[in-house]
Amino acid sequence: YCGMVAIVGRPNVGKSTLLNKLLGQKVSITSKKPQTTRHRIMGIHTDGAQQIVFIDTPGLHIEEKRAINRLMNRAAASSLADVAMVIFVVDGMTWTADDDMVLQKLQHRNDDRKIILAINKVDNIKDKESLFPYLTELAKKFDFDEILPISASKGTNVQRILDMARESL
Ligand code: GDP
Ligand code: MG
């Protein structure tokens, strides 16, 4: 059996890095420069009879003031239509207005999709205890199915995400 999982988040939080790690190969370009990915990138994770299509979804943070932005946004939103799970990736240090905008887009839908919050780049955080106030704050924003500190580049908790993706199908 198979299903789709979307990776969403503002630019530069590590979506493409996570996609590559989940797939164990470089299918999506990662960069320090924001907005490297303008199009959806998909990758298929195959495990026996099970296949998960991961979709790297840029553009959910974009304000819809201009027609082109509405178009990009609609493309991003449409890739959320049929997914079993959404991985909302944020930076382990900073929450921005763009993160709120992404979260808003997720809140518009009331179906049984799982939404997990992946707090990325925790390898950058020396004092792990300092994460707790941030985690508590984020837990209040939305009823996430799971909140998981991860490191997409180091691979920390990426297996856990893969397990949850499997369970969501
Ligand atoms: P995207 O715009 O959300 O797709 O972000 P990218 O995957 O392109 O990553 C943006 C930048 O963050 C790149 O320089 C990555 O190397 C870096 N990055 C991504 N994941 C991690 C992580 O877990 N830890 C650290 N320290 N850097 C990361
Ligand atoms: Mg990217």
Side-chain angles (χ1 to χ4, degrees), residues 54-110:
F54 286 101
I55 312 166
D56 185 349
T57 314
L60 266 191
H61 65 289
I62 295 170
E63 278 202 72
E64 301 194 345
K65 282 182 189 140
R66 301 175 57 193
I68 182 69
N69 292 353
R70 276 196 293 278
L71 205 68
M72 277 187 69
N73 214 254
R74 215 183 305 151
S78 73
S79 60
L80 294 182
D82 303 309
V83 300
M85 184 172 104
V86 176
I87 307 165
F88 177 24
V89 185
V90 300
D91 189 292
M93 315 286 270
T94 31
W95 181 277
T96 72
D98 278 349
D99 294 306
D100 278 311
M101 204 176 299
V102 175
L103 185 56
Q104 240 176 49
K105 297 277 160 59
L106 297 179
Q107 281 169 333
H108 278 312
R109 315 185 58 90
N110 283 320

Coordinates of all heavy atoms in Angstrom, one line a residue, residues 54-110:
F54 N 7.0 11.3 -0.5 CA 7.2 12.5 0.3 C 7.3 13.7 -0.7 O 7.9 13.7 -1.7 CB 8.6 12.5 1.0 CG 8.5 11.5 2.2 CD1 9.1 10.2 2.1 CD2 8.0 11.9 3.4 CE1 9.0 9.4 3.2 CE2 7.9 11.1 4.5 CZ 8.5 9.8 4.4
I55 N 6.5 14.8 -0.3 CA 6.5 16.0 -1.2 C 7.1 17.2 -0.4 O 6.6 17.5 0.7 CB 5.0 16.3 -1.5 CG1 4.3 15.1 -2.0 CG2 5.0 17.4 -2.6 CD1 2.8 15.2 -2.1
D56 N 8.1 17.7 -1.0 CA 8.7 19.0 -0.5 C 7.9 20.1 -1.0 O 7.9 20.4 -2.2 CB 10.2 19.0 -1.0 CG 11.0 20.2 -0.4 OD1 10.4 21.0 0.2 OD2 12.2 20.1 -0.6
T57 N 7.2 20.8 -0.1 CA 6.2 21.8 -0.5 C 6.6 23.2 -0.1 O 6.4 23.7 1.0 CB 4.9 21.5 0.3 OG1 4.6 20.1 0.2 CG2 3.7 22.3 -0.3
P58 N 7.2 23.9 -1.1 CA 7.6 25.3 -0.8 C 6.4 26.2 -1.0 O 5.4 25.9 -1.6 CB 8.7 25.6 -1.8 CG 8.4 24.7 -2.9 CD 7.6 23.5 -2.4
G59 N 6.4 27.4 -0.4 CA 5.5 28.4 -0.8 C 4.2 28.6 0.0 O 3.4 29.5 -0.2
L60 N 4.1 27.8 1.1 CA 2.9 28.0 1.9 C 2.9 29.3 2.7 O 1.9 29.7 3.2 CB 2.7 26.8 2.9 CG 1.9 25.6 2.5 CD1 1.7 24.7 3.7 CD2 0.6 26.1 1.9
H61 N 4.1 29.9 2.9 CA 4.2 31.1 3.7 C 3.9 32.4 2.9 O 3.9 33.4 3.5 CB 5.7 31.1 4.2 CG 6.6 31.3 3.1 ND1 6.9 30.3 2.2 CD2 7.3 32.4 2.7 CE1 7.7 30.8 1.3 NE2 8.0 32.1 1.5
I62 N 3.8 32.2 1.6 CA 3.7 33.4 0.7 C 2.4 34.1 0.9 O 1.3 33.6 0.9 CB 3.9 33.0 -0.7 CG1 5.3 32.4 -0.9 CG2 3.7 34.1 -1.7 CD1 5.5 31.7 -2.3
E63 N 2.5 35.4 1.1 CA 1.3 36.3 1.2 C 0.6 36.4 -0.2 O 1.3 36.5 -1.2 CB 1.7 37.7 1.6 CG 1.9 37.7 3.2 CD 1.7 39.2 3.7 OE1 0.6 39.7 3.7 OE2 2.7 39.7 4.1
E64 N -0.7 36.4 -0.2 CA -1.4 36.3 -1.4 C -1.8 37.6 -2.0 O -2.9 37.8 -2.5 CB -2.6 35.4 -1.2 CG -2.3 34.0 -0.7 CD -3.4 33.0 -0.9 OE1 -4.5 33.5 -1.0 OE2 -3.1 31.8 -0.8
K65 N -0.9 38.6 -1.9 CA -1.2 39.9 -2.4 C -1.2 40.0 -3.9 O -1.9 40.7 -4.6 CB -0.3 41.0 -1.8 CG -0.7 41.4 -0.4 CD 0.2 42.4 0.2 CE -0.1 42.6 1.6 NZ 1.1 42.8 2.4
R66 N -0.3 39.2 -4.5 CA -0.1 39.3 -6.0 C -0.6 37.9 -6.6 O -0.6 36.9 -6.0 CB 1.4 39.5 -6.3 CG 1.9 40.8 -5.8 CD 3.4 40.9 -6.0 NE 3.7 40.8 -7.5 CZ 4.9 40.6 -8.0 NH1 5.9 40.5 -7.2 NH2 5.1 40.6 -9.3
A67 N -1.0 38.0 -7.8 CA -1.6 36.9 -8.5 C -0.6 35.7 -8.6 O -1.0 34.6 -8.3 CB -2.0 37.3 -9.9
I68 N 0.7 36.0 -8.8 CA 1.6 34.9 -9.0 C 1.8 34.2 -7.6 O 2.0 33.0 -7.5 CB 3.0 35.5 -9.5 CG1 4.1 34.4 -9.6 CG2 3.6 36.6 -8.6 CD1 3.8 33.4 -10.7
N69 N 1.7 35.0 -6.5 CA 1.8 34.4 -5.2 C 0.6 33.5 -4.9 O 0.7 32.4 -4.3 CB 1.8 35.5 -4.1 CG 3.2 36.3 -4.2 OD1 4.1 35.9 -5.0 ND2 3.3 37.3 -3.5
R70 N -0.6 34.0 -5.3 CA -1.8 33.1 -5.2 C -1.6 31.8 -5.9 O -2.0 30.8 -5.4 CB -3.0 33.9 -5.7 CG -3.6 34.8 -4.7 CD -5.0 35.2 -5.0 NE -5.1 36.0 -6.2 CZ -4.9 37.3 -6.3 NH1 -4.5 38.0 -5.2 NH2 -4.9 38.0 -7.4
L71 N -1.0 31.9 -7.1 CA -0.8 30.7 -7.9 C 0.1 29.7 -7.2 O -0.1 28.5 -7.1 CB -0.2 31.2 -9.2 CG -0.5 30.2 -10.4 CD1 -1.9 30.2 -10.8 CD2 0.4 30.7 -11.6
M72 N 1.3 30.3 -6.7 CA 2.3 29.4 -6.0 C 1.6 28.8 -4.8 O 1.9 27.7 -4.4 CB 3.5 30.2 -5.6 CG 4.5 30.4 -6.8 SD 6.0 31.2 -6.2 CE 6.7 29.9 -5.2
N73 N 0.8 29.6 -4.1 CA 0.2 29.2 -2.9 C -0.8 28.1 -3.1 O -0.9 27.1 -2.4 CB -0.5 30.4 -2.3 CG -0.4 30.3 -0.8 OD1 -1.4 30.0 -0.2 ND2 0.7 30.5 -0.2
R74 N -1.5 28.2 -4.2 CA -2.5 27.2 -4.6 C -1.8 25.9 -4.9 O -2.3 24.8 -4.5 CB -3.4 27.7 -5.7 CG -4.8 27.2 -5.6 CD -5.7 27.6 -6.8 NE -5.6 29.0 -7.0 CZ -5.8 29.6 -8.3 NH1 -6.0 28.8 -9.3 NH2 -5.7 30.9 -8.4
A75 N -0.7 26.0 -5.6 CA 0.1 24.8 -5.9 C 0.5 24.1 -4.6 O 0.4 22.9 -4.5 CB 1.3 25.2 -6.8
A76 N 0.9 24.9 -3.7 CA 1.4 24.4 -2.4 C 0.2 23.7 -1.7 O 0.3 22.6 -1.2 CB 2.0 25.4 -1.5
A77 N -0.9 24.5 -1.6 CA -2.1 24.0 -0.9 C -2.6 22.7 -1.5 O -3.1 21.8 -0.8 CB -3.1 25.0 -0.8
S78 N -2.6 22.6 -2.9 CA -3.2 21.5 -3.5 C -2.4 20.2 -3.2 O -2.9 19.1 -3.2 CB -3.3 21.7 -5.0 OG -2.0 21.6 -5.6
S79 N -1.1 20.4 -2.9 CA -0.3 19.2 -2.6 C -0.6 18.7 -1.2 O -0.2 17.6 -0.8 CB 1.2 19.4 -2.8 OG 1.6 20.4 -2.0
L80 N -1.4 19.5 -0.5 CA -1.8 19.0 0.9 C -3.1 18.3 0.9 O -3.5 17.7 1.9 CB -2.0 20.2 1.8 CG -0.7 21.0 2.1 CD1 -1.1 22.1 3.1 CD2 0.3 20.1 2.7
A81 N -3.8 18.3 -0.3 CA -5.2 17.8 -0.4 C -5.3 16.3 0.0 O -6.2 15.9 0.7 CB -5.7 18.0 -1.8
D82 N -4.4 15.5 -0.5 CA -4.5 14.1 -0.4 C -3.5 13.4 0.5 O -3.3 12.2 0.4 CB -4.5 13.4 -1.8 CG -5.5 14.0 -2.7 OD1 -6.7 14.0 -2.3 OD2 -5.2 14.4 -3.8
V83 N -2.8 14.1 1.3 CA -1.8 13.5 2.1 C -2.3 12.9 3.4 O -3.3 13.3 3.9 CB -0.6 14.5 2.4 CG1 0.0 15.1 1.2 CG2 -1.1 15.6 3.4
A84 N -1.6 11.9 3.8 CA -1.9 11.2 5.1 C -1.4 11.9 6.3 O -1.9 11.8 7.4 CB -1.4 9.7 5.0
M85 N -0.3 12.6 6.0 CA 0.4 13.3 7.1 C 1.1 14.5 6.6 O 1.6 14.5 5.5 CB 1.4 12.3 7.8 CG 2.1 12.8 9.0 SD 3.1 11.5 9.8 CE 4.8 12.0 9.3
V86 N 1.2 15.5 7.5 CA 2.0 16.7 7.2 C 3.1 16.9 8.2 O 2.8 16.8 9.4 CB 1.1 18.0 7.2 CG1 1.9 19.2 7.0 CG2 -0.1 17.9 6.2
I87 N 4.3 17.1 7.7 CA 5.4 17.3 8.6 C 5.7 18.9 8.5 O 6.1 19.4 7.4 CB 6.7 16.6 8.1 CG1 6.4 15.1 8.0 CG2 7.8 16.9 9.1 CD1 7.5 14.3 7.2
F88 N 5.4 19.5 9.5 CA 5.5 21.0 9.6 C 6.9 21.2 10.2 O 7.1 21.0 11.4 CB 4.4 21.6 10.4 CG 4.5 23.1 10.7 CD1 5.2 23.9 9.8 CD2 3.8 23.6 11.7 CE1 5.2 25.3 10.0 CE2 3.9 25.0 12.0 CZ 4.6 25.8 11.1
V89 N 7.9 21.7 9.4 CA 9.2 21.9 9.9 C 9.5 23.3 10.3 O 9.1 24.3 9.5 CB 10.2 21.5 8.7 CG1 11.7 21.6 9.3 CG2 10.0 20.1 8.2
V90 N 10.0 23.5 11.5 CA 10.4 24.9 11.9 C 11.8 24.9 12.4 O 12.4 23.8 12.6 CB 9.4 25.4 13.1 CG1 8.0 25.4 12.6 CG2 9.5 24.5 14.3
D91 N 12.3 26.0 12.6 CA 13.7 26.2 13.1 C 13.7 26.0 14.6 O 12.8 26.6 15.3 CB 14.2 27.5 12.7 CG 15.7 27.7 13.0 OD1 16.1 27.7 14.1 OD2 16.5 27.8 12.0
G92 N 14.7 25.3 15.1 CA 14.8 25.1 16.6 C 15.0 26.3 17.4 O 14.9 26.3 18.6
M93 N 15.4 27.4 16.8 CA 15.7 28.6 17.6 C 14.7 29.7 17.4 O 14.5 30.5 18.3 CB 17.1 29.2 17.1 CG 18.2 28.1 17.0 SD 18.7 27.6 18.6 CE 20.1 28.8 18.8
T94 N 14.1 29.8 16.2 CA 13.3 31.0 15.9 C 12.0 30.7 15.3 O 11.9 29.9 14.3 CB 14.0 32.0 15.0 OG1 14.9 31.3 14.1 CG2 14.8 33.1 15.8
W95 N 10.9 31.3 15.8 CA 9.6 31.2 15.2 C 9.3 32.6 14.6 O 9.6 33.6 15.2 CB 8.6 30.9 16.3 CG 7.2 30.8 15.7 CD1 6.3 31.8 15.5 CD2 6.5 29.6 15.4 NE1 5.1 31.4 15.0 CE2 5.2 30.0 14.9 CE3 6.8 28.3 15.4 CZ2 4.3 29.1 14.4 CZ3 5.9 27.3 14.9 CH2 4.6 27.7 14.5
T96 N 8.9 32.6 13.3 CA 8.7 33.9 12.7 C 7.2 34.0 12.2 O 6.4 33.1 12.3 CB 9.6 34.1 11.4 OG1 9.1 33.2 10.4 CG2 11.0 33.7 11.7
A97 N 6.9 35.2 11.7 CA 5.5 35.5 11.1 C 5.2 34.5 10.0 O 4.1 34.1 9.8 CB 5.4 36.9 10.6
D98 N 6.3 34.1 9.2 CA 6.1 33.2 8.1 C 5.6 31.8 8.7 O 4.8 31.1 8.0 CB 7.4 33.0 7.3 CG 7.5 34.1 6.3 OD1 6.5 34.9 6.1 OD2 8.6 34.2 5.7
D99 N 6.2 31.4 9.8 CA 5.7 30.1 10.4 C 4.3 30.2 10.8 O 3.5 29.2 10.6 CB 6.6 29.9 11.7 CG 8.0 29.6 11.4 OD1 8.3 28.7 10.6 OD2 8.9 30.3 12.0
D100 N 3.8 31.3 11.3 CA 2.4 31.5 11.6 C 1.6 31.4 10.4 O 0.5 30.8 10.5 CB 2.2 32.9 12.3 CG 2.5 32.9 13.8 OD1 2.0 31.9 14.5 OD2 3.2 33.7 14.3
M101 N 2.1 31.9 9.3 CA 1.3 31.9 8.1 C 1.1 30.4 7.6 O 0.1 30.0 7.1 CB 2.0 32.7 7.0 CG 1.0 33.2 5.9 SD 1.8 34.3 4.8 CE 2.2 35.6 5.8
V102 N 2.2 29.7 7.7 CA 2.1 28.3 7.3 C 1.1 27.5 8.2 O 0.3 26.8 7.7 CB 3.5 27.6 7.4 CG1 3.4 26.1 7.1 CG2 4.5 28.2 6.4
L103 N 1.2 27.8 9.5 CA 0.3 27.1 10.4 C -1.1 27.5 10.1 O -2.0 26.6 10.2 CB 0.7 27.5 11.8 CG -0.1 26.8 13.0 CD1 0.0 25.3 12.9 CD2 0.4 27.3 14.3
Q104 N -1.4 28.7 9.8 CA -2.7 29.2 9.4 C -3.3 28.3 8.2 O -4.4 27.9 8.2 CB -2.6 30.6 8.9 CG -3.5 31.6 9.7 CD -3.2 33.0 9.3 OE1 -3.3 33.3 8.1 NE2 -2.9 33.9 10.2
K105 N -2.4 28.1 7.2 CA -2.8 27.3 6.1 C -3.2 25.9 6.5 O -4.1 25.3 5.9 CB -1.7 27.3 5.0 CG -1.4 28.7 4.5 CD -2.3 29.1 3.4 CE -2.3 30.6 3.1 NZ -1.0 31.1 2.8
L106 N -2.5 25.4 7.4 CA -2.8 24.0 7.9 C -4.1 24.0 8.7 O -4.8 23.0 8.6 CB -1.6 23.5 8.8 CG -0.3 23.4 8.1 CD1 0.8 22.9 9.2 CD2 -0.3 22.4 7.0
Q107 N -4.4 25.0 9.4 CA -5.5 25.1 10.3 C -6.8 25.1 9.5 O -7.9 24.8 10.0 CB -5.5 26.2 11.2 CG -4.6 26.0 12.4 CD -4.3 27.2 13.2 OE1 -4.4 28.3 12.7 NE2 -4.0 27.0 14.5
H108 N -6.7 25.6 8.2 CA -7.9 25.7 7.4 C -8.6 24.4 7.1 O -9.8 24.3 6.8 CB -7.6 26.3 6.0 CG -7.5 27.8 6.1 ND1 -8.4 28.6 6.8 CD2 -6.5 28.7 5.7 CE1 -8.1 29.8 6.7 NE2 -6.9 29.9 6.1
R109 N -7.9 23.3 7.3 CA -8.4 22.0 6.9 C -8.8 21.2 8.2 O -8.1 21.2 9.2 CB -7.4 21.2 6.1 CG -6.8 22.0 5.0 CD -5.9 21.2 4.2 NE -6.7 20.1 3.6 CZ -7.3 20.1 2.4 NH1 -7.2 21.2 1.7 NH2 -8.0 19.1 2.0
N110 N -9.9 20.6 8.1 CA -10.4 19.8 9.3 C -10.6 18.4 8.9 O -11.7 17.9 9.0 CB -11.7 20.4 9.8 CG -11.5 21.6 10.6 OD1 -10.5 21.7 11.4 ND2 -12.3 22.6 10.4

